[in-house]
Amino acid sequence: MSEDYKFIHLLYVPTMNCNMKCTYCYLKENTIDLEPDDTYLQTLQYAVAKFRKSNVIPFNISLHGGEVTTLAPTDFRNIIAFIENYYQQNRKLLEANGFTIGRPHIKTNLFNIKKHIDTIREFQVSISGSLDLPFSLHEQFRKTKGNQKTLDTILENIALLQDIPNKKKVSATIFKEHYEKMDEIIQDINYLDQHTCLDMNDFNFMIGFTTDADDLLTALTEEEQLQFYQKIKKAFTGTHLEEGMNKSWFAEFTPAYCTSCDNCGEKFFLLERNGDIYSCVRGQKNKDFYYGNIYQDSVDDILKQAQRKIFENHNHMTFNSECATCQYLYLCKTGCPYVKKMYHQNTSYTCKLQQAIYKDHPDLYPQDVNNKLSVYHYIQKMHPLLTKNYYPLTHIQTDDNISLQHIIESDEKLKNIYRADAFILEVDGQEYALSSQLLKSIRHILYITSHTRVKLYIKKDVLEDCDYPVNNALYMMLLSGDSVVYGDEQREKQKHIMTHQIYTDTLKSRPSDKQNFYCVDLTNILNLYAQDLSQDKPNNLFFTTSAWRDYHYMKQKNNAYYHIRAMNLPFQNIEFFYVLNKEENYE
């Protein structure tokens, strides 16, 4: 079986030093001077090797800060050379998996790049600079720690990039103070376009947000964000910068950026020089977005922590029901979990702006014609306890207008058997509310290994839904993805591997960390049958109770319509691939 790689975007912070004290710096007092040592490179080398050993492959390594250009010239060159060599050594693997090999990339305030210009030229370093627009506010908000103005130096440094064929761009963050000087912003964009080597079609606006009551700048309201966008569009439509205005200028609010992930903890990681790993530049130095330390924690634990932290932060506020009717949920995924947590809201802080951008470009961002399925898929992964509220029911009608859903709704016992809150499967800390495979419109498939922790939670009242709960039992059925032909019917069906029952009193004796639920650890049970599971097709795990199973078959016997509609196993299930580790041998 081929190796199963996980590809991640890795931001690396080789130093926390910064030569500036920008008014709205997200790191604030954390931009402290560090004593120079060899860890600026050693940490990245160690982390990449440790990730690589676990088949976790950075497809992009970008340098962030602090301010990376505060490194000594030799140190800066060494780290750029390492990244370039990494790309070349892994070119074949990355390209085979659809990734384009770029240049080493830095995020910089542009104030100190002159001393690194030889390295930038030698390796064609890709540069993303930041400044304030309009320039009048740059001089006010972006000063050195010695309180010196910086704009003239930055413009001089940009001129040094004139003849270097690297990718170079700038971005500007917009608060209300900037928004109130719209005419100046438009004027200064034109100045940069006409008087510098920057291609201003490749430029980014970012919408600032505040995190503390004592922040010195004011965040735009959603209406002001929308007005800002409309004014920019009016100013540049019909000019040679219209292409940029329609594409890169507002790209942060499109699926080109990280907000298009269900769970960004599966893909984005920021590594600091001391080995600490956070979600990204927004979550840096925030305990709620801290994933662990590469020197102290295993890669597996870091990945699990990342998934869990982002999941928890999205669930800090519940899912907004209005998002369920928005046909752009598949694009925004409710926005950045960090800002949602800071603002105590459950929608993207740029929701109206995003919708306006999508509507202006229907060829790029069409409305989702399968919105209910997309919503269900998102809910199932990110808010699994709400799954039952967003299930896209399929009503398969017969000639006499009797559907499975109609039969279920007419029978109180069947309502319980098919309920979507009875069983919750927890896989490495991620919860999945289970529902019947007969009612599902889409499939959700997990990946499990012998090291995956699998627990099942059973709502207590489930086992009491019978005359004699002490005789009732959790009923599990494990089926292989491989098929066999069964019985006189000669029907081809998934091969049954095992049936396992755990009686009520036994479940009661097991500890549970979830109120009103029993809990059973399935890890060892599944591992017992690892050699019997399909390695290239999804396997199937079903859950019900012995009482519910008996009622299901009695109902099939007594009701021909139900028998036809529910011929296959109707119980709550999950499908999964089981990946054998290389060191395991069951022969």
Side-chain angles (χ1 to χ4, degrees), residues 164-180:
I164 301 176
N166 58 325
K167 183 179 177 67
K168 39 192 176 281
K169 64 184 294 185
V170 292
S171 61
T173 302
I174 305 299
F175 287 88
K176 188 166 185 174
E177 290 75 5
H178 304 85
Y179 165 75
E180 290 174 344

Side-chain angles (χ1 to χ4, degrees), residues 136-339:
S136 60
L137 292 185
H138 184 106
E139 293 292 71
Q140 180 179 342
F141 295 153
R142 297 174 74 86
K143 296 182 179 180
T144 69
K145 287 184 174 176
N147 214 35
Q148 297 172 314
K149 294 182 178 180
T150 61
L151 180 61
D152 288 344
T153 300
I154 287 173
L155 293 177
E156 290 170 4
N157 287 340
I158 289 174
L160 296 175
L161 304 173
Q162 176 74 46
D163 300 320
I164 301 176
N166 58 325
K167 183 179 177 67
K168 39 192 176 281
K169 64 184 294 185
V170 292
S171 61
T173 302
I174 305 299
F175 287 88
K176 188 166 185 174
E177 290 75 5
H178 304 85
Y179 165 75
E180 290 174 344
K181 295 178 178 288
M182 281 291 302
D183 291 342
E184 289 184 48
I185 290 176
I186 293 167
Q187 177 182 330
D188 291 340
I189 288 175
N190 284 319
Y191 176 87
L192 290 170
D193 178 57
Q194 296 166 17
H195 298 286
T196 73
C197 63
L198 297 171
D199 176 5
M200 289 304 289
N201 272 306
D202 190 11
F203 166 77
N204 289 125
F205 281 119
M206 293 178 284
I207 302 298
F209 54 89
T210 56
T211 57
D212 298 310
D214 59 353
D215 280 344
L216 299 177
L217 295 178
T218 309
L220 294 174
T221 65
E222 285 203 58
E223 287 300 331
E224 288 169 339
Q225 294 172 20
L226 194 56
Q227 292 166 15
F228 174 78
Y229 169 68
Q230 299 294 354
K231 289 179 181 179
I232 289 293
K233 186 170 70 169
K234 181 178 179 180
F236 290 96
T237 296
T239 73
H240 74 283
L241 293 179
E242 181 177 359
E243 179 184 359
M245 185 270 297
N246 281 325
K247 294 182 181 178
S248 65
W249 288 15
F250 293 92
E252 184 183 357
F253 315 106
T254 71
Y257 274 63
C258 54
T259 51
S260 63
C261 295
D262 286 340
N263 187 318
C264 58
E266 298 174 342
K267 187 175 181 180
F268 294 91
F269 299 83
L270 180 142
L271 169 69
E272 288 189 348
R273 172 177 169 174
N274 65 358
D276 285 343
I277 295 181
Y278 294 89
S279 60
C280 61
V281 296
R282 289 179 173 179
Q284 193 175 359
K285 296 301 184 184
N286 187 300
K287 63 180 179 61
D288 292 326
F289 294 85
Y290 172 71
Y291 297 161
N293 187 285
I294 195 65
Y295 289 116
Q296 300 169 7
D297 302 302
S298 70
V299 170
D300 188 51
D301 285 344
I302 290 169
L303 297 183
K304 290 177 184 176
Q305 187 80 314
Q307 263 192 324
R308 183 178 69 82
K309 284 288 184 77
I310 296 302
F311 177 85
E312 288 177 350
N313 279 293
H314 271 296
N315 280 271
H316 179 69
M317 299 288 287
T318 190
F319 180 69
N320 190 312
S321 60
E322 291 185 9
C323 293
T325 61
C326 175
Q327 291 183 302
Y328 299 114
L329 176 70
Y330 82 106
L331 296 171
C332 90
K333 307 299 177 72
T334 74
C336 172
Y338 176 82
V339 185

